[in-house]
Amino acid sequence: MVAGAFLLPALVLLGALVVHPIGYSVYRSFFDRGGDTFVGAGNFREILHDDTIRTALTNTALWVVLAPTTATALGLIFAVLTERVRWGTAFKLLVFMPMAISMLAAGIIFRLVYDHDPDRGVANAVWVGVHDTFAESSAFPKARPGRDSPLQDSGGGAFTTREPVRAGVPALLPLVGVAPEALPEGTRTAAAAPAEPGKVTGTVWQDFTRGGGGRTNTVDATEQAFAGMRIEAVKDGRVVDTATARADGTFTLSAKADGALLRLPAANFREAYSGVQWLGPTLVTPAIIGAYVWMWAGFAMVLIGAGLAAVPRELLEAARVDGANEWQVFRRITVPLLGPVLAVVLVTLVINVMKIFDLVFVIAPGAVQDDANVLALQLYRTSFGTDADPGLGSAIAVLLLVLVIPVMLVNIRRLRKEGSR
């Protein structure tokens, strides 16, 4: 009686907050949207035929496979490596710190991290910086020939002179289309190239005078140079000489360019690389999984680190004395001894990711929420809102419960086995 009296409040709460909601959800899943008509397994058939829900199932499976294994693997690596460094405690603190952040706050942080604009999104800022190190974009992506220009479009983004150029006669390569404020910092005024005997000279510049005025195809006093522009002399389809425009837009080619066509190659007009669409339809789910791993790798590291502290050091030393290298000690001694701890971490994270909702809801933009959809999010979207269907939502909840139960049973069996030792 005394034991029953102490257990009664807990049993009442358990029944009110767990058993009753589960039972009612199972009951409600067999009725239609209004709750008046019994539809049997109709809602469950709808789950199998609805493309949005099938996408949620696929993404949930992807989460279950990738997120727990990645977080556990990183936690194992961090736990092992931090044992060998002097500042291991500080590193563990930094890695574990994201656990103190709510899912909502983490979602807002990573929504900004994954922003497509490199000036705002850290991920694209780094990606664009690395890309531009090896393939720098042009400073003049919008430049093009103007009206009555001696240049014409030669295909593939390049421009070529209409007529061959001659040595001793300065060539004019006027372009328009670059906004004055978009010109590189330090751009200078263009200058007319002087004639040089036996050489082909010329100027490449912005043939536009701010405020109006000026003459077409003439280097006017206030017009800006296109410094750094590459110029190629082409004869019979072959490049016979090249030059780069100076700070004032002038360039000089050798006598080989006499009678050649001048070409401004497409590389001069390459659009600036804007990075990766992290939150586009293709990468949105892996991107959100990355945010989850950032948060939960610290949790895995702490638990695995606690298990690692209990590993008998004499076993590790004995393996090293017998000639095993560090990788063999890690793979054949450390990991097997940490098996129970790794199982705890993995099962805990699997149960956790099956219920993942807030990260996906906050990080994924509305346009791609169908692509990033998971079961918990679909449960919310189906059960609430202007087009709510509580019957179908309850069926999704029951499906989620059915998927979680096997993992829970595995965990209970493992705990019982551990307790019997």
Side-chain angles (χ1 to χ4, degrees):
M1 290 293 292
V2 175
F6 277 105
L7 286 173
L8 184 60
L11 291 175
V12 170
L13 287 175
L14 185 66
L17 300 179
V18 178
V19 178
H20 176 264
I22 291 175
Y24 182 75
S25 294
V26 173
Y27 167 79
R28 188 66 178 82
S29 66
F30 294 110
F31 288 83
D32 68 349
R33 184 190 301 265
D36 302 319
T37 305
F38 181 79
V39 295
N43 287 322
F44 295 95
R45 285 195 293 269
E46 177 70 17
I47 288 175
L48 298 177
H49 292 91
D50 189 288
D51 291 337
T52 304
I53 301 177
R54 284 209 303 253
T55 300
L57 276 167
T58 303
N59 286 340
T60 301
L62 189 64
W63 270 88
V64 168
V65 171
L66 289 181
T69 53
T70 306
T72 303
L74 282 176
L76 175 61
I77 293 170
F78 291 155
V80 172
L81 292 181
T82 50
E83 277 206 331
R84 300 175 173 273
V85 294
R86 186 179 304 171
W87 38 269
T89 303
F91 181 81
K92 286 180 180 179
L93 178 64
L94 288 174
V95 174
F96 188 75
M97 196 176 292
M99 284 295 299
I101 302 174
S102 69
M103 285 280 195
L104 175 63
I108 294 172
I109 290 169
F110 275 87
R111 181 70 178 265
L112 294 173
V113 167
Y114 291 135
D115 195 290
H116 186 59
D117 185 355
D119 293 330
R120 296 177 60 193
V122 175
N124 262 344
V126 173
W127 193 267
V128 169
V130 172
H131 175 274
D132 288 350
T133 301
F134 300 98
E136 189 175 354
S137 59
S138 167
F140 316 108
K142 303 294 185 183
R144 66 185 188 279
R147 177 171 52 88
D148 301 326
S149 174
L151 293 166
Q152 62 181 348
D153 189 343
S154 58
F159 302 110
T160 309
T161 54
R162 299 177 187 275
E163 302 293 336
V165 294
R166 297 297 176 188
V169 180
L172 298 176
L173 305 180
L175 295 166
V176 296
V178 181
E181 60 273 12
L183 288 168
E185 188 176 348
T187 297
R188 290 171 49 181
T189 303
E196 296 186 28
K199 294 183 179 180
V200 173
T201 59
T203 304
V204 55
W205 83 103
Q206 167 108 314
D207 191 18
F208 171 79
T209 301
R210 179 178 288 190
R215 293 172 295 170
T216 304
N217 299 332
T218 301
V219 182
D220 293 307
T222 60
E223 294 176 342
Q224 304 298 301
F226 282 164
M229 188 79 73
R230 181 178 172 83
I231 301 99
E232 297 175 343
V234 181
K235 283 185 180 179
D236 301 323
R238 292 187 306 107
V239 176
V240 296
D241 199 8
T242 62
T244 301
R246 305 180 187 95
D248 60 359
T250 61
F251 60 88
T252 302
L253 294 163
S254 66
K256 296 178 184 177
D258 187 32
L261 294 174
L262 297 188
R263 180 172 65 192
L264 300 177
N268 289 320
F269 314 104
R270 185 185 294 120
E271 291 281 353
Y273 181 66
S274 58
V276 177
Q277 285 277 9
W278 299 105
L279 299 182
T282 305
L283 293 178
V284 62
T285 295
I288 300 172
I289 290 175
Y292 177 89
V293 169
W294 175 77
M295 290 191 67
W296 285 86
F299 166 82
M301 178 194 66
V302 169
L303 289 190
I304 296 170
L308 192 60
V311 172
R313 300 297 159 178
E314 56 269 19
L315 293 179
L316 305 180
E317 293 303 325
R320 294 186 181 104
V321 170
D322 287 340
N325 58 38
E326 291 302 320
W327 169 245
Q328 290 171 326
V329 171
F330 173 75
R331 185 166 59 92
R332 296 180 182 274
I333 307 295
T334 305
V335 173
L337 290 175
L338 287 174
V341 178
L342 294 176
V344 170
V345 174
L346 199 59
V347 171
T348 303
L349 293 181
V350 167
I351 295 173
N352 186 270
V353 299
M354 282 188 175
K355 305 179 297 179
I356 196 70
F357 162 77
D358 24 22
L359 269 185
V360 181
F361 184 73
V362 174
I363 295 178
V368 296
Q369 276 203 354
D370 283 347
D371 300 283
N373 204 9
V374 289
L375 280 177
L377 177 60
Q378 184 60 33
L379 168 61
Y380 168 79
R381 297 171 69 186
T382 304
S383 302
F384 303 98
T386 55
D387 194 31
D389 187 342
L392 183 58
S394 298
I396 297 172
V398 172
L399 173 62
L400 195 55
L401 175 65
V402 169
L403 293 176
V404 170
I405 285 175
V407 184
M408 294 174 62
L409 292 177
V410 169
N411 202 28
I412 292 171
R413 183 179 299 177
R414 185 195 56 76
L415 290 173
R416 286 179 177 174
K417 188 181 295 185
E418 289 290 325
S420 64
R421 289 180 181 178

